[in-house]
Amino acid sequence: MDKKEIVIVTGMSGAGKTSAMACFENLAYRCIDNYPVDLLEEFGELVKSDAKYHKIALAVSLGDSIKAIRLLSNMDWISLTVVFLDCDDEIIVKRYRETRRSHPLLISNKAASLVEGISFERKLAEPISNLANFTMDTSKLKFVKFQELIEGYFSKGIIAPFRISFESFGFKYGVPKDADLLLDVRFLPNPFYLEELREKTGNDKEVYDYVMEKEETSLFVKKTTEYLDYLIKEYEKEGKMHLIIGIGCTGGQHRSVTLTNYFASVYAKQYQVHCLHRDAHH
């Protein structure tokens, strides 16, 4: 019997679980929000016996997620993937104020203020994030890029054993909070100082060629490729499912975009790779 694919979507309240479920609906998943965790054993039996339940996404609160993960992981007819959504605390506050919604812990009287509710969830988050197959920091993500990440990870229908995300960013906008590894390429010659390249990005051939043709870039690529080849194999041995590599320059337009595109194209020959440019044309 083919295993049923179930995705648990959890994380900080306000980090985007509702948006994630909309993405899964577009991928033809049956989406269920806030299903009672105490009924998951019965739900698992239903999934086992009913052919129409073969791709399901469950939005689960942080408080219920550990129990949900343990229950579903013990059902050998289920292939379980855990998605953890994170977000900066100040962005969560801003989102709640803009939407005028109440935090779930305020509604359940487990917190006296929004800040207290966020602090309480933050304590729950770390052990759960460590169990996740796929982690996303949504602090600076627009919905289009958010959707690209979800669809890029799940649209093939089969979860690859190991995935790599390469993400370009600008240090002046902050580092990606979910990155496992950060590479700083600010030492490379900067196309920003050439007027004809300033308004372009590393997605443009002129900028890409300018960066890649430099001697400093060639040496960096050689040494970094050796390092990544070693590191990725070690992560695989340890059973890590998803490696996020952030590549940063000053503004996230030229050098970081170029190198992100380069490494993504190289490792896509061996792994399932996703390429994201967080700050290009910020």
Side-chain angles (χ1 to χ4, degrees), residues 160-164 225 228-230 232-233 236 263-273:
F162 187 79
R163 295 161 186 259
I164 307 172
T225 300
L228 291 179
D229 284 348
Y230 166 76
I232 289 169
K233 292 297 183 186
E236 283 189 285
F263 285 116
S265 67
V266 168
Y267 286 97
K269 298 170 185 175
Q270 307 171 59
Y271 302 98
Q272 187 163 334
V273 166

Side-chain angles (χ1 to χ4, degrees), residues 186-244:
R186 287 177 291 185
F187 68 94
L188 296 176
N190 193 351
F192 176 83
Y193 295 108
L194 297 178
E195 187 174 348
E196 66 272 21
L197 300 180
R198 183 170 302 161
E199 299 304 318
K200 298 180 183 293
T201 75
N203 290 322
D204 296 299
K205 186 176 186 300
E206 303 95 316
V207 173
Y208 184 93
D209 289 345
Y210 175 88
V211 174
M212 294 303 298
E213 288 169 0
K214 298 300 180 184
E215 184 178 346
E216 298 94 323
T217 306
S218 297
L219 185 57
F220 172 76
V221 164
K222 179 178 181 295
K223 290 181 177 292
T224 303
T225 300
E226 292 174 356
Y227 172 58
L228 291 179
D229 284 348
Y230 166 76
L231 190 66
I232 289 169
K233 292 297 183 186
E234 293 302 309
Y235 273 127
E236 283 189 285
K237 287 180 187 176
E238 290 298 312
K240 189 173 180 65
M241 302 293 291
H242 184 211
L243 177 64
I244 303 173

Side-chain angles (χ1 to χ4, degrees), residues 68-85:
I69 292 168
R70 286 174 178 166
L71 281 171
L72 295 175
S73 295
N74 288 329
M75 299 178 187
D76 58 12
W77 58 93
I78 287 174
S79 174
L80 181 65
T81 304
V82 179
V83 174
F84 182 84
L85 303 179

Side-chain angles (χ1 to χ4, degrees), residues 75-250:
M75 299 178 187
D76 58 12
W77 58 93
I78 287 174
S79 174
L80 181 65
T81 304
V82 179
V83 174
F84 182 84
L85 303 179
D86 202 355
C87 187
D88 290 338
D89 291 357
E90 58 268 27
I91 300 296
I92 294 176
V93 171
K94 181 181 177 183
R95 289 175 181 175
Y96 272 105
R97 286 176 176 168
E98 288 176 346
T99 60
R100 298 185 179 181
R101 294 174 56 197
S102 294
H103 192 281
L105 294 184
L106 286 174
I107 296 172
S108 62
N109 294 319
K110 293 181 179 178
S113 68
L114 176 56
V115 172
E116 185 181 333
I118 294 170
S119 177
F120 182 86
E121 281 200 334
R122 187 62 67 191
K123 293 174 184 177
L124 297 176
E126 184 176 354
I128 298 167
S129 66
N130 291 335
L131 295 173
N133 304 96
F134 183 44
T135 300
M136 291 174 61
D137 177 6
T138 68
S139 304
K140 299 179 183 294
L141 286 184
K142 295 181 179 179
F143 180 73
V144 172
K145 289 188 175 180
F146 181 96
Q147 188 172 21
E148 286 177 2
L149 283 169
I150 293 286
E151 292 182 352
Y153 195 96
F154 290 94
S155 61
K156 297 187 179 180
I158 299 174
I159 306 302
F162 187 79
R163 295 161 186 259
I164 307 172
S165 291
F166 289 96
E167 178 177 357
S168 69
F169 68 95
F171 276 97
K172 72 180 189 178
Y173 301 115
V175 302
K177 205 165 61 171
D178 54 349
D180 300 294
L181 174 68
L182 294 176
L183 301 175
D184 185 349
V185 296
R186 287 177 291 185
F187 68 94
L188 296 176
N190 193 351
F192 176 83
Y193 295 108
L194 297 178
E195 187 174 348
E196 66 272 21
L197 300 180
R198 183 170 302 161
E199 299 304 318
K200 298 180 183 293
T201 75
N203 290 322
D204 296 299
K205 186 176 186 300
E206 303 95 316
V207 173
Y208 184 93
D209 289 345
Y210 175 88
V211 174
M212 294 303 298
E213 288 169 0
K214 298 300 180 184
E215 184 178 346
E216 298 94 323
T217 306
S218 297
L219 185 57
F220 172 76
V221 164
K222 179 178 181 295
K223 290 181 177 292
T224 303
T225 300
E226 292 174 356
Y227 172 58
L228 291 179
D229 284 348
Y230 166 76
L231 190 66
I232 289 169
K233 292 297 183 186
E234 293 302 309
Y235 273 127
E236 283 189 285
K237 287 180 187 176
E238 290 298 312
K240 189 173 180 65
M241 302 293 291
H242 184 211
L243 177 64
I244 303 173
I245 300 173
I247 303 177
C249 61
T250 304

